[in-house]
Amino acid sequence: MTNTLTLPEAPFVGLRDYLMCLAADEDKTPVEELGGMSDGALSAYWHGYVEAARSGYTGQELHIAAFGNSLFAPMAVCAETSDVRAALARSFQ
């Protein structure tokens, strides 16, 4: 039996864009950037993007709000982190 988690599109695309920008700034590939990010950091960023998207932010405002929200993310790694990491890795291939 396969369990498929459907990730919300706006936070996923926002986080993906953010990782691509980080990678470009550091002359890395997005896969390298993702691989170097801890589960805790990824979880915090994911939380930030989900909360920002729920608030209706789009475009640059989404990224700004997501960063702010990630600073106040719960300290525990969310249950979706491994699924988010896997989906991001697939999207970079």
Side-chain angles (χ1 to χ4, degrees):
M1 177 183 218
T2 302
N3 184 8
T4 304
L5 176 68
T6 303
L7 300 173
E9 184 177 2
F12 180 79
V13 171
L15 181 54
R16 184 178 188 278
D17 289 348
Y18 175 71
L19 285 170
M20 289 173 48
C21 289
L22 277 180
D25 286 348
E26 298 176 9
D27 291 327
K28 294 180 180 179
T29 67
V31 172
E32 289 172 320
E33 188 66 39
L34 178 63
M37 186 173 281
S38 71
D39 284 347
L42 182 59
S43 182
Y45 280 118
W46 178 246
H47 169 81
Y49 276 95
V50 168
E51 291 302 314
R54 280 186 190 148
S55 297
Y57 292 108
T58 60
Q60 186 173 359
E61 289 180 336
L62 175 74
H63 295 290
I64 293 167
F67 178 76
N69 288 333
S70 69
L71 296 175
F72 301 103
M75 295 301 289
V77 173
C78 72
E80 298 174 326
T81 302
S82 62
D83 294 321
V84 170
R85 186 180 295 280
L88 285 166
R90 282 191 305 274
S91 76
F92 292 140
Q93 293 179 354

